[in-house]
Amino acid sequence: MPFSLPDLPFSLDALQPYMSAKTLELHHGKHHRGYVTKLNELTRGTPFADMPLENVIRKTHDDPSSAAIFNNAAQHLNHSFFWTCMKPGGQAAPERLRKALARSFGDFDGFKRKFVAEGLGQFGSGWIWLVADKGALEIVKTSNAGTPVALDKQPLLVCDVWEHAYYVDYENRRADFLTAFVDHLADWEAVAGRLPAA
């Protein structure tokens, strides 16, 4: 089966004023669609065409000869996950999530400050993640198409810090975008639902 572009889990205007319909139209409809189209072109007629996306990523991430397949597969996976990390209107973080974050980051606000700071510290294009790894929660940065899935870490939350994710709405103010993401866009209920069993 060819890889396919997932529908957004909300309408194009649902995340305003923190993320505009224009940004989503460009980001989902152009950038993400482009990665899916290119991935299908690159994998057509190869064993990768019938693999689950995560398997394609794991098999290509350390293979320079498959760099183009990895880049497009990982960007497809990263973006598909990113859309599920946001929810219109935001909501309070469930207590289970607050407790888990407090164990690793002091408290929920401490986690948010560190997440924003790490996102600002990502030089150039990339992603900022909350992941679970061997029972511990950590914040990791990945460059370009990098993904913790390739390293067998479990993604819980991600924010895209490629400029196409925020430039229409925030220009070069990445800090404002990251703050809006953690304060108004992140779907904390979804993050809590991804926590590993204690």
Side-chain angles (χ1 to χ4, degrees):
M1 292 288 291
F3 301 100
S4 60
L5 180 72
D7 291 334
L8 289 172
F10 36 72
S11 65
L12 285 174
D13 61 356
L15 303 182
Q16 295 182 150
Y18 306 107
M19 186 176 289
S20 67
K22 182 65 172 176
T23 286
L24 284 171
E25 182 182 329
L26 290 169
H27 197 174
H28 177 262
K30 304 286 188 190
H31 288 278
H32 190 176
R33 184 182 302 279
Y35 297 126
V36 175
T37 299
K38 189 64 176 178
L39 178 61
N40 282 317
E41 289 174 3
L42 291 168
T43 57
R44 189 174 298 121
T46 75
F48 296 120
D50 297 317
M51 284 184 194
L53 187 59
E54 292 84 353
N55 290 2
V56 174
I57 288 165
R58 290 185 180 105
K59 287 183 178 294
T60 59
H61 87 280
D62 272 338
D63 179 6
S65 69
S66 300
I69 291 175
F70 170 79
N71 286 336
N72 285 278
Q75 285 290 68
H76 177 27
L77 181 139
N78 290 355
H79 281 88
S80 297
F81 186 63
F82 179 53
W83 310 131
T84 71
C85 288
M86 295 182 288
K87 182 177 181 179
Q91 69 284 312
E95 189 61 24
R96 177 170 176 252
L97 175 61
R98 286 179 173 274
K99 288 181 177 178
L101 292 171
R103 285 193 291 273
S104 297
F105 306 103
D107 59 22
F108 183 55
D109 288 337
F111 158 73
K112 290 199 296 184
R113 286 191 298 271
K114 184 170 176 59
F115 191 87
V116 169
E118 292 291 322
L120 279 173
Q122 171 55 42
F123 182 77
S125 300
W127 304 81
I128 182 72
W129 306 80
L130 173 67
V131 303
D133 185 28
K134 300 179 179 67
L137 300 187
E138 59 184 52
I139 294 171
V140 298
K141 297 179 287 191
T142 60
S143 298
N144 299 317
T147 177
V149 171
L151 306 174
D152 292 321
K153 297 177 186 282
Q154 180 188 348
L156 305 178
L157 177 73
V158 71
C159 186
D160 187 343
V161 293
W162 284 64
E163 284 191 341
H164 64 239
Y166 61 88
Y167 207 85
V168 168
D169 300 323
Y170 297 89
E171 297 179 335
N172 64 338
R173 302 188 313 275
R174 185 189 285 186
D176 290 351
F177 167 62
L178 284 160
T179 299
F181 178 82
V182 296
D183 286 344
H184 302 288
L185 295 173
D187 186 346
W188 301 115
E189 292 174 355
V191 177
R194 297 179 187 120
L195 285 171

